[in-house]
Amino acid sequence: MIISPKRIVQEGIVTDIENPTEQIQQNGIDLTLRTLEIIDHHEIYLWKDWWRKIQSRKTYEPDEDGKIFLLEGVYDITFNEYVKIPNGMCAQIVQRSTLNRTWNFITAGVYDAGFENRVGAILHVTRPIELQIWARLAQIVFFQAEEGDLYNWIYKVWSPS
C-alpha cells in the first residue's frame, strides 16, 4: 500500500523540501535536482556477498542561470531532499512524466527501511536536454513493508559531495 505523502512529510521522513505546496503530489513527493555528475571511468566488481566500485567522476556546474546542458549519456544525480526511512516502510523513485516526454529517463533501486541520506538516481539522456538546478525530475513513493532487518550498508553514511 502506498503511504500518503502528506503523512511522510508530517512525520519528517522526507525533509529539505523547498516548496511543499508544489512538491507534495497525490502519491509521492517530487524530488529536485541538487547535483549532477558523469562517471568518467568506472570498474564495477559484483560478487556473491558484496560489490565494489572504482570510479572517477566529473561534476557538472550550472551556468549563471542555474542551467546545465546535457548531451546523450548516463549521469549520476543527487536530489535535494533528505530521506530517513523508518521500520515498516520502503521507498522507490520514479521519474516524472514530464521527463519521460523528453525521451529521457531515470532509474533507481528500492530504498529500504533504515536508509538515511539524500537520495539519488541514474539519469539516462537519450536526447540532449537542458536542466535547471532545483528542477523537479522524479518522485519518491513510500510503501508499507515488512522487512527482516534495517538497512545498514555503505550509502547510509556515504555522501557523494
Side-chain angles (χ1 to χ4, degrees):
M1 179 173 81
I2 293 176
I3 300 169
S4 164
K6 289 180 182 177
R7 173 182 162 201
I8 296 298
V9 173
Q10 288 170 347
E11 293 182 11
I13 296 166
V14 175
T15 58
D16 294 349
I17 298 174
E18 180 184 32
N19 190 337
T21 304
E22 290 184 8
Q23 288 180 249
I24 299 173
Q25 301 296 326
Q26 293 80 3
N27 294 300
I29 300 162
D30 284 345
L31 299 173
T32 58
L33 179 62
R34 179 184 180 96
T35 60
L36 190 137
E37 299 175 312
I38 190 166
I39 299 172
D40 290 332
H41 169 79
H42 71 277
E43 298 174 32
I44 300 175
Y45 305 94
L46 297 172
W47 287 289
K48 179 181 176 187
D49 297 325
W50 64 281
W51 63 274
R52 173 143 172 96
K53 64 182 177 179
I54 301 168
Q55 59 191 13
S56 63
R57 295 169 171 261
K58 174 187 171 192
T59 301
Y60 278 76
E61 298 296 332
D63 65 16
E64 61 276 355
D65 296 323
K67 296 178 182 174
I68 301 170
F69 184 77
L70 300 176
L71 296 174
E72 294 175 359
V74 179
Y75 301 86
D76 190 356
I77 55 178
T78 302
F79 297 107
N80 287 297
E81 295 70 25
Y82 192 88
V83 174
K84 184 176 182 180
I85 304 176
N87 196 12
M89 291 184 193
C90 66
Q92 187 158 16
I93 293 175
V94 293
Q95 71 187 32
R96 287 179 45 99
S97 60
T98 305
L99 183 65
N100 192 56
R101 287 190 293 272
T102 68
W103 293 14
N104 297 297
F105 61 97
I106 288 176
T107 57
V110 171
Y111 287 88
D112 297 316
F115 176 86
E116 180 180 350
N117 207 332
R118 296 193 190 283
V119 290
I122 301 300
L123 172 63
H124 304 265
V125 176
T126 63
R127 301 287 188 271
I129 188 171
E130 183 178 87
L131 299 176
Q132 189 165 22
I133 297 300
W134 288 95
R136 295 182 290 154
L137 299 179
Q139 286 187 2
I140 188 164
V141 179
F142 288 82
F143 302 90
Q144 286 183 330
E146 293 184 24
E147 70 289 323
D149 295 315
L150 293 178
Y151 178 89
N152 194 23
W153 295 94
I154 187 171
Y155 290 106
K156 184 168 185 171
V157 295
W158 177 81
S159 177
S161 48

